[in-house]
Amino acid sequence: DQQVKQNSPSLSVQEGRISILNCDYTNSMFDYFLWYKKYPAEGPTFLISISSIKDKNEDGRFTVFLNKSAKHLSLHIVPSQPGDSAVYFCAASLGEGAQKLVFGQGTRLTINP
Amino acid sequence: DVKVTQSSRYLVKRTGEKVFLECVQDMDHENMFWYRQDPGLGLRLIYFSYDVKMKEKGDIPEGYSVSREKKERFSLILESASTNQTSMYLCASSLGLPEAFFGQGTRLTVV
């Protein structure tokens, strides 16, 4: 029972364009969401997060959007750069004080020159 | 910077062996986690610990146990390794916020 789903296993985007990665969740009790980035042979690194009291959070080239009614969030990367090529994981938790993260399956993003 | 160090990058073990995966963090974090990453399944939580000698089962604890005798160290134990435990194992630590810091991973192959 996958509570956090990333339905696109892979995505290919041209350098300089916008990358949009999507994530859906089923548990309405989740109220804090995170994105992690993972390069091969390395552990995931935290990228950006959003609380359910917001619908948007921005950090440089990265913006996360949250649509609670649709139980959907997305990560926008603008402009995309070759170094953004990695696997991106969406994760959810039951609030900022919660200990456990539930991860999606991941989306492999490839930025083409 | 937070550092989470896993003792091995690559391990090859035989079926039935007892396997220890070690993880050390240097930031005095209360919480530590063990995940495994498999293609198409993402990261799945095996066990986590919120204090020394305290542990809780995650989503897939079967076939695994853990040990946390010191705050900085969290060990994952495969009591009798099986081929379906071939995977990438990731250790993480956190301060109680959802943001977790991960080690570089251990690629375990059971033959």
Side-chain angles (χ1 to χ4, degrees), chain A:
Chain A
D1 178 26
Q2 193 84 25
Q3 296 187 72
V4 178
K5 297 179 185 179
Q6 295 175 255
N7 292 317
S8 298
S10 63
L11 177 67
S12 187
V13 174
Q14 197 164 5
E15 182 179 358
R17 306 295 286 266
I18 184 170
S19 295
I20 300 175
L21 295 98
N22 293 304
C23 178
D24 298 295
Y25 61 96
T26 57
N27 188 343
S28 58
M29 300 299 289
F30 289 143
D31 63 358
Y32 197 80
F33 304 90
L34 306 91
W35 285 94
Y36 279 81
K37 176 179 180 179
K38 185 181 184 299
Y39 292 119
E42 293 184 17
T45 53
F46 171 74
L47 194 56
I48 192 169
S49 62
I50 188 166
S51 165
S52 60
I53 62 172
K54 295 185 172 182
D55 55 16
K56 177 182 173 181
N57 189 26
E58 199 169 349
D59 183 3
R61 297 185 297 113
F62 302 91
T63 303
V64 56
F65 295 92
L66 176 63
N67 182 335
K68 277 197 74 177
S69 60
K71 295 193 184 71
H72 177 84
L73 64 154
S74 60
L75 175 69
H76 292 210
I77 306 173
V78 183
S80 301
Q81 299 174 354
D84 296 329
S85 295
V87 177
Y88 289 78
F89 291 98
C90 168
S93 79
L94 296 168
E96 288 190 58
Q99 315 302 329
K100 292 167 55 175
L101 290 173
V102 180
F103 284 85
Q105 306 97 310
T107 297
R108 181 177 301 278
L109 175 66
T110 303
I111 306 301
N112 302 306

Side-chain angles (χ1 to χ4, degrees), chain B residues 1-105:
Chain B
D1 276 354
V2 174
K3 193 157 186 187
V4 179
T5 304
Q6 295 182 229
S7 53
S8 304
R9 294 294 295 266
Y10 300 95
L11 274 178
V12 180
K13 296 292 181 181
R14 294 195 180 276
T15 301
E17 273 194 78
K18 191 168 186 176
V19 181
F20 293 85
L21 302 183
E22 307 286 348
C23 175
V24 176
Q25 51 98 359
D26 65 357
M27 283 302 290
D28 204 35
H29 286 172
E30 280 81 22
N31 306 309
M32 295 189 75
F33 308 83
W34 276 105
Y35 290 89
R36 60 179 281 179
Q37 180 196 355
D38 299 291
L41 296 175
L43 278 70
R44 293 178 293 166
L45 182 64
I46 305 171
Y47 265 98
F48 70 101
S49 167
Y50 49 90
D51 202 352
V52 175
K53 297 190 187 292
M54 305 300 286
K55 61 187 180 185
E56 283 198 27
K57 293 180 180 179
D59 300 318
I60 51 164
E62 297 79 19
Y64 303 95
S65 62
V66 290
S67 172
R68 192 162 180 206
E69 297 295 320
K70 293 185 178 180
K71 191 174 187 179
E72 67 270 19
R73 187 179 295 271
F74 192 35
S75 302
L76 180 68
I77 304 155
L78 286 67
E79 296 290 340
S80 177
S82 64
T83 55
N84 63 12
Q85 293 178 310
T86 291
S87 185
M88 169 69 83
Y89 289 87
L90 292 159
C91 174
S93 72
S94 79
L95 260 178
L97 294 173
E99 179 186 337
F101 298 87
F102 284 84
Q104 77 278 26

